[in-house]
Amino acid sequence: MTHVTTAHELHDFFVENREKLLDQSWLTLALTPPCKYRFLGWRGSWLRIIQYPSEFAQLLILFAEQGVKSYIEIGTSTGGSFLAMDSYLRTAVPGYERSSGYDRRRTTLRDFEDYKSRFPTCSFQRRSSRRLHLGDQQFGAAFIDAQHFEESVLKDFETVKNNCRFVAFHDIVLHAPSTVNRAWQKIQP
């Protein structure tokens, strides 16, 4: 596997390996950092995907199999998962349309302007999810990975639940200090 340093190179990597995109073993390996220090970034780059590779691969494949053509992420941090999801869905789903990412922190998505110039339907805003109003915008899927407190997760879910076919959550099995698991217990059917 080659060394990838930018988000658009990740997209190109997915394009080059299009026939393997639904292979969970391959995708998990492709998303796994090259050493035990997983925060070094995807394949040694700055692109930090702060998710467990096997879980994130399952989510990517699920969204692809369900034909998710638009995606919103609340809590992008530095954007690794957001840009990886966008790159993957652009490659795996015919007719993929757009993505929107939001994070309250004053972080900048590395390489985002270059990525956006290539994929103008990908947008990012520094905005708290508490001030996020989607109106009549519809998305195929949402990923909630912002503040890991019950009240915040429930608010984020309320924000997206009527605007998305699928909603995924990060860290639903963690316990204190995260209380995402309590929110999940209230949300799940």
Side-chain angles (χ1 to χ4, degrees):
M1 293 190 183
T2 59
H3 180 75
V4 174
T5 57
T6 63
H8 66 82
E9 288 179 36
L10 176 58
H11 176 267
D12 294 344
F13 175 77
F14 285 147
V15 169
E16 291 166 11
N17 292 281
R18 186 184 308 267
E19 73 283 353
K20 301 175 188 173
L21 291 180
L22 297 178
D23 179 332
Q24 184 177 340
S25 296
W26 177 85
L27 188 56
T28 298
L29 183 60
L31 295 171
T32 300
C35 66
K36 66 180 181 176
Y37 303 107
R38 65 188 206 97
F39 296 111
L40 286 181
W42 186 76
R43 318 233 7 238
S45 75
W46 59 261
L47 188 63
R48 296 182 343 167
I49 302 170
I50 308 175
Q51 311 298 333
Y52 288 106
S54 61
E55 293 175 0
F56 196 56
Q58 289 176 25
L59 183 62
L60 291 170
I61 291 169
L62 171 70
F63 286 173
E65 290 176 338
Q66 294 299 318
V68 169
K69 293 184 179 184
S70 55
Y71 172 72
I72 182 172
E73 184 169 317
I74 297 176
T76 60
S77 186
T78 60
S81 302
F82 172 63
L83 294 173
M85 179 72 76
D86 184 77
S87 293
Y88 179 87
L89 292 175
R90 281 182 192 283
T91 308
V93 179
Y96 182 78
E97 299 167 2
R98 65 190 164 86
S99 64
S100 297
Y102 299 89
D103 199 286
R104 68 182 174 83
R105 291 178 273 186
R106 297 215 177 268
T107 56
T108 303
L109 300 189
R110 296 178 186 148
D111 189 44
F112 181 70
E113 291 307 316
D114 184 39
Y115 188 83
K116 185 173 173 57
S117 70
R118 187 166 171 195
F119 305 108
T121 60
C122 180
S123 67
F124 170 75
Q125 293 180 31
R126 268 188 238 123
R127 178 186 297 180
S128 168
S129 59
R130 292 182 182 271
R131 294 191 312 249
L132 181 60
H133 302 286
L134 298 178
D136 61 354
Q137 289 185 81
Q138 294 295 309
F139 293 90
F143 184 50
I144 297 174
D145 188 13
Q147 293 184 18
H148 285 51
F149 301 104
E150 180 181 0
E151 176 187 318
S152 297
V153 173
L154 291 172
K155 170 69 173 110
D156 292 343
F157 178 67
E158 286 299 316
T159 299
V160 301
K161 73 177 186 180
N162 294 321
N163 300 76
C164 298
R165 283 179 36 218
F166 301 99
V167 179
F169 300 86
H170 186 236
D171 291 337
I172 60 171
V173 296
L174 290 182
H175 298 283
S178 171
T179 55
V180 177
N181 60 321
R182 290 198 309 240
W184 175 242
Q185 290 169 359
K186 291 180 179 179
I187 293 168
Q188 68 181 337

